[in-house]
């Protein structure tokens, strides 16, 4: 007589364990949130399509979602019809752009981040005082193009590197002032500023640091976790300056490896498999659902223990343009 025994084996998981250190703050800043709301509210108020000059923020997921709502993204104002509203991106635009919009009697809304606008005001004030302005930033970035476009050609010089700072020579002993792009590496920018201050002790500095609070906070959060990380993942676009700076900051702060990914679809699973402690952050133009997606993808393959490391809380809110508040 044969007896069949119903033996229940204890389930032993063969899933690897991973620790995720989640940097905070991360993701959307107040300026990005305001810019996206301006596009959304414009579509609600005026109907689709609403034109947007340049990507409203540097994130393809955001742009694609707004396109689905009825936004049309263009690079130049002459691509916009006369009878539809146009929104200027969060990065800011040269003065010639709103001037051209006014000449065509277009309805336009300026989604320039108020902290970028602050730099524009500083530059104009320095120019009125007869100072030549040095702008620390990256050539070709929309924010730099917009800032340099606040003044006539020749009144501002771009400083990209420490070498630029060492070799710049003012013309005819002109007095100097300094402004910076808002999304730079805090540490790298400080090094450039020190070189300029040593060479030109009388250079007029910003009343308050130009690098925005969100850039500073996100870099501080990455520094707080980097040394403990085998691998740091930063979610953001390749065109996003602040996201690329987070990768650089993480690598310098001690992460064994730091990489930029656009979403969970771009994860290098071989690299993940080798890492025990994974850091996770997101640039200021990356929506939180992308962070959620990366965590979900990690949890689908590993036993994940997640710890949020918060360096500060952000409570900044920027007002929307009056045109969108009027009934």
């Amino acid at each position: 007589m044969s007896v069949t025994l119903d033996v229940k084996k204890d389930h032993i998981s063969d899933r690897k364990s991973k620790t995720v250190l989640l940097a905070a703050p991360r993701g959307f800043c107040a300026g990005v949130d305001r810019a996206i709301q301006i596009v959304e509210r414009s579509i609600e108020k005026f109907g689709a399509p609403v034109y947007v000059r340049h990507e409203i923020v540097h994130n393809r997921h955001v742009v694609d979602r707004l396109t689905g709502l009825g936004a049309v993204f263009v690079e130049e104002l002459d691509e916009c019809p006369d009878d539809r509203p146009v929104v200027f991106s969060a990065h800011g635009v040269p003065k010639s752009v709103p001037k051209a919009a006014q000449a065509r009697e277009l309805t336009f809304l300026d989604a320039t981040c108020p902290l970028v606008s602050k730099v524009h005001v500083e530059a104009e004030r320095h120019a009125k005082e007869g100072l030549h302005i040095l702008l620390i930033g990256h050539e070709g970035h929309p924010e730099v193009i917009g800032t340099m476009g606040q003044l006539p050609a020749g009144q501002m010089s771009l400083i990209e590197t420490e070498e630029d700072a060492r070799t710049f020579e003012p013309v005819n002993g002109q007095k100097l002032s300094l402004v910076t792009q808002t999304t730079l590496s805090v540490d790298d920018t400080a090094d450039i500023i020190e070189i300029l201050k040593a060479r030109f002790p009388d250079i007029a500095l910003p009343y308050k640091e130009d690098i925005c609070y969100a850039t500073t906070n996100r870099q501080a959060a990455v520094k707080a976790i980097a040394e403990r990380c085998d691998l740091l993942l930063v979610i953001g676009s390749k065109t996003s300056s602040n996201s690329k700076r987070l990768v650089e900051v993480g690598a310098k702060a001690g992460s064994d490896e730091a990489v930029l990914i656009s979403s969970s679809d771009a994860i290098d699973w071989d690299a993940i498999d080798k890492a025990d402690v994974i850091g996770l952050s997101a640039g200021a133009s990356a929506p939180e659902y992308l962070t959620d997606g990366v965590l979900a993808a990690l949890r689908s393959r590993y036993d994940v223990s997640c710890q949020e490391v918060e360096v500060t809380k952000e409570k900044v809110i920027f007002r929307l343009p009056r045109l969108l508040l009027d009934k």
Side-chain angles (χ1 to χ4, degrees):
M1 179 174 123
S2 65
V3 178
T4 302
L5 298 177
D6 184 14
V7 179
K8 292 184 178 180
K9 296 182 179 179
D10 290 332
H11 176 69
I12 301 175
S13 173
D14 58 357
R15 287 159 57 102
K16 292 182 179 179
S17 295
K18 302 289 179 184
T19 298
V20 173
L21 302 179
L22 191 57
R26 65 184 173 276
F28 278 180
C29 63
V32 166
D33 189 55
R34 173 180 179 270
I36 292 169
Q37 283 191 62
I38 288 174
V39 178
E40 293 171 340
R41 298 278 189 95
S42 296
I43 294 169
E44 290 174 10
K45 179 166 184 171
F46 301 107
V50 166
Y51 284 73
V52 185
R53 185 188 178 279
H54 193 71
E55 291 184 348
I56 189 67
V57 296
H58 282 156
N59 189 279
R60 176 49 51 186
H61 298 273
V62 171
V63 169
D64 288 347
R65 187 182 72 82
L66 293 175
T67 298
L69 294 177
V72 177
F73 291 89
V74 297
E75 285 304 309
E76 298 299 339
L77 199 63
D78 59 15
E79 299 174 65
C80 303
D82 291 338
D83 60 346
R84 297 307 304 163
V86 59
V87 178
F88 303 148
S89 82
H91 310 98
V93 294
K95 272 194 170 181
S96 59
V97 175
K99 186 176 180 180
Q102 289 171 338
R104 290 175 55 189
E105 299 184 344
L106 295 178
T107 298
F108 65 90
L109 298 102
D110 190 354
T112 300
C113 173
L115 298 179
V116 174
S117 296
K118 177 181 79 71
V119 177
H120 293 178
V121 171
E122 284 178 350
E124 287 191 278
R125 176 172 57 82
H126 289 318
K128 287 177 181 176
E129 293 170 353
L131 305 176
H132 183 79
I133 297 142
L134 303 184
L135 168 62
I136 301 176
H138 298 295
E139 186 174 12
H141 189 278
E143 183 183 331
V144 167
I145 293 170
T147 299
M148 297 194 78
Q150 300 305 302
L151 298 171
Q155 293 194 14
M156 194 178 301
S157 297
L158 183 63
I159 303 293
E160 289 194 88
T161 64
E162 291 184 16
E163 183 61 22
D164 290 343
R166 293 189 187 98
T167 58
F168 172 80
E169 292 295 341
V171 177
N172 299 325
Q174 58 195 167
K175 294 184 178 180
L176 303 175
S177 64
L178 177 68
V179 296
T180 80
Q181 185 179 332
T182 63
T183 56
L184 302 176
S185 161
V186 174
D187 295 336
D188 290 349
T189 304
D191 292 341
I192 292 174
I193 291 173
E194 286 306 310
I195 292 170
L196 291 171
K197 285 168 61 178
R199 293 190 64 212
F200 310 109
D202 295 330
I203 190 169
L205 301 175
Y207 174 71
K208 191 176 181 181
E209 187 178 84
D210 287 338
I211 296 177
C212 83
Y213 77 94
T215 297
T216 301
N217 291 346
R218 279 149 191 73
Q219 290 180 18
V222 163
K223 287 179 183 178
I225 64 173
E227 201 167 42
R228 298 160 60 188
C229 296
D230 303 312
L231 173 66
L232 173 68
L233 302 178
V234 175
I235 304 169
S237 169
K238 291 180 180 178
T239 56
S240 167
S241 174
N242 77 84
S243 300
K244 291 191 288 187
R245 301 295 84 74
L246 288 178
V247 175
E248 294 169 1
V249 167
K252 287 185 178 180
S255 178
D256 290 346
E257 185 178 1
V259 295
L260 183 68
I261 60 171
S262 57
S263 68
S264 59
D265 294 337
I267 292 175
D268 179 348
W269 291 108
D270 288 338
I272 295 289
D273 208 51
K274 297 171 186 174
D276 294 322
V277 180
I278 300 160
L280 183 58
S281 184
S285 50
E288 183 68 7
Y289 68 76
L290 294 179
T291 298
D292 295 339
V294 169
L295 287 172
L298 292 171
R299 286 174 173 139
S300 72
R301 296 179 179 231
Y302 304 99
D303 289 329
V304 173
S305 171
C306 188
Q307 175 189 348
E308 187 168 67
V309 179
E310 184 176 67
V311 297
T312 189
K313 291 187 181 297
E314 293 180 345
K315 299 179 181 178
V316 178
I317 298 174
F318 293 135
R319 288 174 56 83
L320 296 176
R322 185 174 299 172
L323 180 60
L324 295 178
L325 299 176
D326 294 340
K327 299 295 183 184

